[in-house]
Amino acid sequence: MNPAGKGYGGRQKLPDNLKQLFRPVAMSKPDNELIAEVILFSEGFKDARNLGRKLVAIFNLSRCVNSRCICVLCPLLRL
């Protein structure tokens, strides 16, 4: 949590000796289709690639419906 009280002047720069203790981190978007495919293959499904794609599509649609977003994935469900 960031302090938000009086006298808080924003973030301070880290000293050089502390900067050396940290390393840069890169974040990327996970490949949900590949994750679903691997899980389904490991559980013994023969057509895991196809099922993985369908599962990801269903979860993407349900996320749009539940959050009431207006997105490209669900043009028929726009509110």
Side-chain angles (χ1 to χ4, degrees):
M1 273 176 39
N2 290 333
K6 269 189 172 178
Y8 177 65
R11 296 184 185 264
Q12 302 292 322
K13 282 193 165 190
L14 284 176
D16 289 333
N17 61 345
L18 284 178
K19 280 185 190 177
Q20 293 173 357
L21 297 175
F22 296 99
R23 57 187 169 160
V25 176
M27 301 286 287
S28 62
K29 187 176 177 185
D31 186 358
N32 291 331
E33 286 184 14
L34 181 62
I35 293 169
E37 180 184 343
V38 169
I39 291 172
L40 290 169
F41 265 129
S42 69
E43 292 294 329
F45 286 86
K46 301 263 187 220
D47 195 19
R49 179 168 292 150
N50 218 5
L51 286 172
R53 284 189 195 131
K54 290 178 182 181
L55 272 175
V56 170
I58 287 172
F59 281 116
N60 286 337
L61 284 172
S62 70
R63 183 176 53 219
C64 284
V65 169
N66 291 333
S67 68
R68 296 181 182 215
C69 73
I70 298 173
C71 63
V72 179
L73 295 174
C74 47
L76 300 175
L77 302 174
R78 290 186 181 167
L79 299 176

